[in-house]
Amino acid sequence: MKQYIVPPDYKYFVYNIYTHSICAGNEYKEDAQDVCNECNEISYKPNTYKVYTAKHIMTRLNLDPYDFKCWTNPTK
């Protein structure tokens, strides 16, 4: 099985508030917001996805955004 590595230069992450998992990461906030908007467009519930910083995810949500086990596929 392939080991996925989250690039360390990702600072902004798209987080699913219902599954409590990360679906995307980006270096720039604007790029993360674009991905977030696209994910919310295909979501069944409005405002399912939010953009958070790596620090927020680690301290407030107790997840490691650089561990791929905390990620999920938004199309599933």
Side-chain angles (χ1 to χ4, degrees):
M1 189 161 131
K2 186 176 179 180
Q3 176 85 17
Y4 292 100
I5 298 173
V6 179
D9 49 341
Y10 282 0
K11 303 293 181 223
Y12 300 95
F13 296 89
V14 180
Y15 178 78
N16 184 316
I17 62 172
Y18 296 108
T19 63
H20 304 290
S21 59
I22 300 164
C23 70
N26 294 90
E27 292 180 48
Y28 303 103
K29 187 174 184 177
E30 297 81 15
D31 294 339
Q33 191 60 53
D34 289 342
V35 173
C36 181
N37 292 339
E38 290 175 12
C39 289
N40 277 322
E41 285 179 13
I42 64 171
S43 175
Y44 296 113
K45 297 178 182 178
N47 301 319
T48 298
Y49 297 92
K50 305 281 184 185
V51 174
Y52 293 126
T53 62
K55 182 179 179 180
H56 179 87
I57 289 176
M58 287 187 276
T59 58
R60 298 286 178 112
L61 304 175
N62 296 322
L63 291 176
D64 181 1
Y66 301 103
D67 182 358
F68 205 70
K69 293 175 191 163
C70 299
W71 287 53
T72 188
N73 185 341
T75 59
K76 287 187 176 181

